[in-house]
Amino acid sequence: MEKVLVTGGAGFIGSNFVRYLYRVRPNWQITVLDALTYAVNKENLKGLDEQRVSLVLGNICDQALVDKLIAETDAVVHFAAESHNDNSLQSPWPFVETNIIGTFRLIEAARKHGKRFHHISTDEVYGDLELSDPQKFTETTAYNPSSPYSSTKAGSDHLVRAWVRSFGLKATLSNCSNNYGPYQHVEKFIPRQVTEVLLGRQPKLYGQGQNVRDWIHTEDHSSAVLTILEKGKIGETYLIGANGEKNNKEVVELILEILGKDSQDYEHVNDRPGHDLRYAIDSTKLRSELGWQPKYTDFRAGLSDTIEWYKQNETWWKPQKAITEAKYQELGR
Ligand code: NAD
Ligand code: TDX
């Protein structure tokens, strides 16, 4: 494999993956297909050699464009999506269009040209768990998505599996838990709270903050995806997680503490409608069958590095901050 097409490669996880691949596979050519939506800062791919990483500005729903690009590549890694739950509750159509129709366009082209395809998905397709449930999500957990976002991701997963079974698409899938790290948009939980504190304001906890997310550093997501791309079995799904369960209140308190503030200095705001209670991933299959291990197992250390990145990169996040907070203010969140 020498040429890879990375859809959504200018976004948070996609750009971290492109930087990771650039470092660990120096002989590969990377083409990024990205529509550069509101979620993207053009700096995300800055500093990479254009001989090795080229950016095509375009939409994954454009069949002629994806057909041409996929004909020229060896493999596709598909990150492009509308990704924020709160936005999906306000305006679901872009989620249906990009996440379902966009995925359909890509797999049609991949099957036509017989190309390797890796589909990126989320643990949210499984719905949520009770706080006291000893079970975690596994590859055989039944689908039960709650939001427009997670239901469109679930729909895209079903399309990919049907294309494997009916048309022999050479695809693998992965469902990952909540990512954190550099280049994440300030609409998302950790960057929002960090930047609120950096601006001298209080973090905003939805409801009582009891909801649990299973945090993984985005670089561990990248290493898992490359492992699956190179060693995964066609047709198989792999869950990606690093045993990082924390409730939102704990995370906010840790952010405040790392930034040298009073750990109780946060406010409670309106809860998200249909808010999933808990996600937890069992990644035994990926670890035992493909030998993957996460590197960032110390959440506090990974979070401190991430906070430091936001401190050092104020010009990266500042332009989006006021726009994002204006949207939240309308929702009372
Ligand atoms: P993001 O919103 O930061 O990035 C999405 C990228 O897709 C952006 O670069 C955007 O411009 C691009 N895009 C959107 N619509 C497009 C279209 N129609 N055509 C071309 N490009 C388009 O999201 P993210 O958090 O980096 O998520 C990336 C992927 O990982 C998504 O598939 C998401 O479902 C999945 N995922 C995310 C998380 C998480 O914690 N953020 C966890 C598990 C899975
Ligand atoms: O200000 C906030 N306060 C708050 O308490 C925000 C923005 C969020 N929250 C809560 C809601 C969630 O319980 O924090 C948790 C995390 O919220 P998000 O960052 O919006 O992530 P989540 O909804 O869990 O979804 C994320 O993980 C799975 C990604 O955005 C998805 O793309 C991914 O599939």
Side-chain angles (χ1 to χ4, degrees), residues 2-10 14 18 22 28-34 36 45 48-58 68-69 72-73:
E2 284 174 1
K3 286 187 185 173
V4 185
L5 177 69
V6 181
T7 73
V18 167
Y22 185 84
W28 288 20
Q29 289 290 325
I30 305 164
T31 302
V32 170
L33 170 60
D34 202 297
L36 301 183
L45 296 172
L48 303 179
D49 178 358
E50 287 173 22
Q51 301 290 319
R52 290 186 50 212
V53 180
S54 55
L55 171 66
V56 176
L57 173 59
K68 174 180 168 292
L69 293 173
E72 293 165 356
T73 195

Side-chain angles (χ1 to χ4, degrees), residues 7-15 33-40 44 58-61 78-84 94 97-99 102 119-124 149 153 174-180 183-185 187-188 215-216 221:
T7 73
F12 161 50
I13 303 176
S15 66
L33 170 60
D34 202 297
L36 301 183
T37 66
Y38 82 94
V40 173
N44 290 5
N59 198 305
I60 58 166
C61 297
H78 173 35
F79 291 95
E82 284 292 337
S83 67
H84 193 37
E97 190 173 39
T98 287
N99 300 357
H119 178 65
I120 303 292
S121 192
T122 168
D123 56 1
E124 297 191 20
Y149 163 69
K153 291 298 291 186
S174 56
N175 297 74
C176 189
S177 60
N178 282 61
N179 284 221
Y180 72 97
Y183 301 100
Q184 187 169 29
H185 194 281
E187 69 190 356
K188 303 291 185 349
W215 294 100
I216 181 172
H221 190 181

